[in-house]
Amino acid sequence: MEICYVLDASAFINGFQITSKRNCTVPEITAEIKDFESRLKFDSAVNEGLLVIEDVPQVYIDEVGEIISKSGDVLRLSSQDVKLISLAYMLMQRGENVKLISDDYTIQNTSKIMEIPYSGVMTKGIRGIYNWKKVCEGCKKEYGEDYPFDDCEICGSRIFKKRIRVNK
Ligand SMILES: [Zn+2]
């Protein structure tokens, strides 16, 4: 069965490449994705139907809360973290083949306790070295990191920061 990826905000922010047709997350994650590039990637995945934003019934959140507290681990999970883990848990209960993608150590650790398959983006061998450059939204002129203005000196359009991967 095709893997259904359960994506944390860190998956988008750290450059997780969507290759599967089945990806999902919870509504709370949406608010955590703020930078331009991650946001663009998030929105286009939703628009293309590759990413489904799914809410989780309280019953699963309660069950997850119970399992976590029984583990005896002192875990500092935010409510959206718990919700995301609950989504993965719910899908597993439905017999789905899931993998939770997060670079958050606490989420990874909880996944381990709950026997939810998980993977990081940055922590895997695909770690890249990133740099920023500034690009004009209008004429696409590229500026160095040290260019001090928010608008393009040629066309006056807004300049956005773009993360680029530096290949070794
Ligand atoms: Zn320009």
Side-chain angles (χ1 to χ4, degrees):
M1 198 196 307
E2 200 177 357
I3 293 178
C4 182
Y5 291 96
V6 178
L7 305 177
D8 181 22
S10 65
F12 289 93
I13 294 160
N14 294 336
F16 176 74
Q17 296 298 323
I18 288 180
T19 52
S20 166
K21 285 192 188 72
R22 308 194 60 216
N23 304 276
C24 57
T25 193
V26 294
E28 286 80 0
I29 294 299
T30 317
E32 288 184 48
I33 300 165
K34 291 182 180 110
D35 78 278
F36 184 83
E37 201 188 353
S38 307
R39 187 79 236 175
L40 206 64
K41 209 153 83 176
F42 183 91
D43 289 342
S44 72
V46 172
N47 291 338
E48 287 166 31
L50 296 173
L51 177 65
V52 175
I53 299 171
E54 198 163 343
D55 219 340
V56 185
Q58 191 60 40
V59 56
Y60 293 102
I61 299 167
D62 291 345
E63 271 181 54
V64 167
E66 227 169 274
I67 296 166
I68 296 170
S69 64
K70 271 184 197 152
S71 78
D73 265 65
V74 181
L75 297 166
R76 290 168 300 122
L77 291 165
S78 68
S79 62
Q80 57 261 47
D81 293 344
V82 173
K83 192 101 176 258
L84 191 76
I85 292 162
S86 302
L87 175 62
Y89 176 75
M90 177 182 84
L91 294 170
M92 274 174 78
Q93 300 292 306
R94 287 186 191 162
E96 298 274 5
N97 183 13
V98 306
K99 188 171 241 182
L100 203 157
I101 306 294
S102 176
D103 280 331
D104 184 304
Y105 176 75
T106 317
I107 291 179
Q108 291 185 352
N109 201 41
T110 309
S111 301
K112 202 184 289 175
I113 291 165
M114 302 211 36
E115 295 175 339
I116 297 168
Y118 67 91
S119 174
V121 179
M122 303 290 273
T123 48
K124 237 176 153 191
I126 50 167
R127 186 190 195 116
I129 298 163
Y130 291 95
N131 261 328
W132 293 95
K133 67 179 177 186
K134 290 179 166 179
V135 184
C136 170
E137 223 171 40
C139 70
K140 311 288 180 217
K141 180 178 163 60
E142 292 179 10
Y143 292 91
E145 182 93 63
D146 52 350
Y147 181 72
F149 307 111
D150 289 334
D151 48 359
C152 177
E153 63 183 8
I154 295 171
C155 73
S157 299
R158 201 170 68 94
I159 287 172
F160 63 92
K161 272 179 111 181
K162 189 178 178 187
R163 192 165 60 173
I164 47 166
R165 190 168 180 154
V166 181
N167 289 318
K168 283 190 97 177

